[in-house]
Amino acid sequence: MSDAASAQPLSAMFSAIVVAPFGGFGIRTDVGAVRELVYLPKSFGEKAPVDALSEQAARQIAHYLADPDFRFDLPLSEAGTAFQRRVWDAICAIPRGQVLTYGQVAKQIRSAPRAVGQACGANWFPIIIPCHRVTAAGGLGGFSNHDEADGFHLGVKRWLLAHEGVAGY
């Protein structure tokens, strides 16, 4: 079975799929809120939105892909622990075109770098909560609980940073 054929049944898990240069974004919605955004490999094709909210989310993701300064305005489901939400709030304050290290974010919120990294990996709303803007002290770091140097997720992180004008990764 081809990658595209095996991705088709999995596409049903999403309310919409937006194609991106690195692959795509799967959008999951609940009543009145975006429940999750998921980075998807190129084997997933575009999927038309199934409701008004997934259409709004797909439109906003497309705007971000065209303009890294785009600001999201979507209702998000409650997610994460109180600690994770503190980390995510700190990450949301990092301006486009800049990065902070896990250690710098940890210092801001009086925590530990590893805990910040774990909260980044638990992010339900990537690009809206821009965890790609958090890097290791000595390089790119991990992304979405993945750290394979040539893997899909770090490729996405590199693309997002380049899209936002961050050089060197």
Side-chain angles (χ1 to χ4, degrees):
M1 183 181 293
S2 72
D3 286 345
S6 64
Q8 292 309 320
L10 297 174
S11 294
M13 297 172 32
F14 300 102
S15 304
I17 297 175
V18 177
V19 173
F22 53 79
F25 285 98
I27 302 166
R28 291 186 179 138
T29 58
D30 267 338
V31 178
V34 173
R35 183 171 51 127
E36 183 178 20
L37 296 177
V38 179
Y39 295 115
L40 298 173
K42 290 184 184 218
S43 58
F44 283 80
E46 186 171 24
K47 178 180 177 180
V50 299
D51 56 34
L53 180 56
S54 60
E55 182 177 345
Q56 180 184 10
R59 193 172 42 252
Q60 289 192 24
I61 289 169
H63 282 299
Y64 167 80
L65 292 170
D67 176 9
D69 287 319
F70 178 79
R71 303 251 180 193
F72 288 92
D73 182 23
L74 292 168
L76 304 177
S77 295
E78 293 270 333
T81 65
F83 172 77
Q84 288 169 339
R85 288 190 300 272
R86 276 186 28 230
V87 172
W88 299 341
D89 287 346
I91 290 166
C92 285
I94 303 170
R96 192 235 359 119
Q98 296 181 26
V99 296
L100 292 178
T101 66
Y102 298 104
Q104 289 170 317
V105 173
K107 187 174 183 180
Q108 282 182 3
I109 65 167
R110 296 194 163 118
S111 184
R114 184 174 298 272
V116 168
Q118 289 170 341
C120 286
N123 179 6
W124 289 82
F125 311 107
I127 72 168
I128 296 173
I129 300 172
C131 287
H132 57 277
R133 296 179 188 160
V134 183
T135 63
L140 191 59
F143 192 54
S144 294
N145 288 326
H146 296 84
D147 63 0
E148 313 84 44
D150 294 323
F152 168 73
H153 287 88
L154 286 182
V156 172
K157 186 173 185 174
R158 285 184 191 93
W159 187 91
L160 292 169
L161 291 172
H163 178 61
E164 293 186 354
V166 178
Y169 295 98

